Amino acid sequence: MIVQKYIEQKLEQGAVHITLIDPSRQVPEAACRLAETAQDVGSDLIFVGGSSGVTQHALTETAEAVKQRISIPVLFFPTGTESVCLNLDAFLFLSLLNSRNAQFVSGTQSKLSSVLSRLEVEVISVGYIMIEPGMKLGEIGEADLIARDNFWQAIGYALTAQYMGMSYVYLEAGNGAAQPVPAGMIRAVKRELQIPLIVGGGIRTAIDARRVRQAGADIVVTGTVIETAGYRERLRSILSALKE
Ligand code: 1GP
């Protein structure tokens, strides 16, 4: 399956939702159940990855188990971890554009790119931009966080990603953030951008999801919500807010 084509087709029908599964939070069997639920309620893709403490073993076991159990694409989300997974449907080639450390912008990527090329892995290039509070992801990625009211800086980085030829821009508030990226910032970035916009971090409710979508997010990522009690219903209401 060509994942990027699949995403494009989904985008023609409306918003796309991605469920992030962190392999350090549960055993592989439980991760499979979460992924199945996500697929059942209408999630379009699964990201496997986490902000810290993901061992190669947990990552590989979880990714393989999840892949076998669901039919929607499973992508590796390579943040905050030294572990890598190359045998999924695609590899999210993230460049953390506002990192102070060049390793997160292009250094780590340069060590992986020839392997990805030889293995003919589908690579999806993403300009990853960390917004306050950034949480653990921002800390690990040594991000020079963009203040929540600094729309111009967010626009500047988003356009940088576009002009560098990346396929997507990803505004990230951080895994477990108390609030999503501000709607005003999403709107301001979307107004200037010609490539699809991904937004993640702190989206827990249908109200959050609707706000982020209405502001202009094309693709919405949720993670933590699937780790909380009553996650099936919560996810279902997020999905119906996004797909309405
Ligand atoms: C993916 O970091 C997010 O972009 C996930 O964040 O866990 O807060 O949903 P949450």
Side-chain angles (χ1 to χ4, degrees):
M1 181 187 345
I2 308 293
V3 177
Q4 207 159 327
K5 259 260 94 50
Y6 166 88
I7 298 173
E8 277 164 26
Q9 282 164 2
K10 288 280 173 186
L11 284 173
E12 278 166 22
Q13 295 154 27
V16 166
H17 178 261
I18 303 179
T19 295
L20 169 66
I21 293 184
D22 183 341
S24 68
R25 306 284 178 103
Q26 65 282 301
V27 297
E29 180 51 35
C32 288
R33 284 197 296 275
L34 299 182
E36 282 172 337
T37 303
Q39 175 173 273
D40 284 355
V41 302
S43 209
D44 302 291
L45 296 105
I46 301 289
F47 279 173
V48 177
S51 49
S52 59
V54 183
T55 63
Q56 185 65 51
H57 181 73
L59 174 64
T60 311
E61 298 265 297
T62 300
E64 280 173 4
V66 166
K67 181 87 207 76
Q68 275 170 18
R69 289 267 279 276
I70 58 171
S71 57
I72 54 175
V74 184
L75 276 64
F76 175 49
F77 185 60
T79 53
T81 167
E82 310 251 291
S83 322
V84 280
C85 197
L86 302 172
N87 59 348
L88 294 177
D89 295 310
F91 187 99
L92 216 57
F93 205 74
L94 292 181
S95 173
L96 179 50
L97 296 175
N98 58 328
S99 176
R100 293 182 300 276
N101 183 344
Q103 284 305 316
F104 297 103
V105 183
S106 58
T108 313
Q109 294 82 338
S110 72
K111 292 179 191 112
L112 276 175
S113 53
S114 33
V115 180
L116 290 165
S117 164
R118 288 206 171 85
L119 293 176
E120 296 180 13
V121 177
E122 181 180 348
V123 165
I124 298 180
S125 82
V126 177
Y128 196 40
I129 303 165
M130 201 64 74
I131 315 298
E132 282 179 339
M135 311 301 284
K136 197 84 194 160
L137 287 170
E139 210 178 289
I140 295 169
E142 297 175 45
D144 198 3
L145 296 174
I146 297 180
R148 294 175 65 80
D149 59 359
N150 196 343
F151 297 0
W152 281 109
Q153 201 179 11
I155 292 171
Y157 275 110
L159 287 176
T160 297
Q162 177 174 302
Y163 294 151
M164 283 178 159
M166 293 169 175
S167 303
Y168 300 90
V169 163
Y170 191 153
L171 297 180
E172 172 70 272
N175 192 251
Q179 290 172 319
V181 174
M185 180 179 281
I186 298 170
R187 203 168 290 117
V189 167
K190 180 65 184 172
R191 213 177 284 135
E192 305 284 332
L193 205 63
Q194 267 138 34
I195 56 176
L197 180 60
I198 308 174
V199 177
I203 300 162
R204 306 255 185 292
T205 63
I207 295 173
D208 294 335
R210 191 173 294 115
R211 196 171 288 145
V212 161
R213 169 62 178 159
Q214 285 174 352
D218 299 294
I219 303 176
V220 172
V221 185
T222 63
T224 307
V225 76
I226 207 159
E227 295 164 7
T228 55
Y231 65 85
R232 176 181 281 270
E233 282 322 306
R234 284 163 178 262
L235 206 53
R236 199 192 293 284
S237 64
I238 286 175
L239 258 303
S240 47
L242 283 179
K243 308 270 182 181
E244 69 195 8

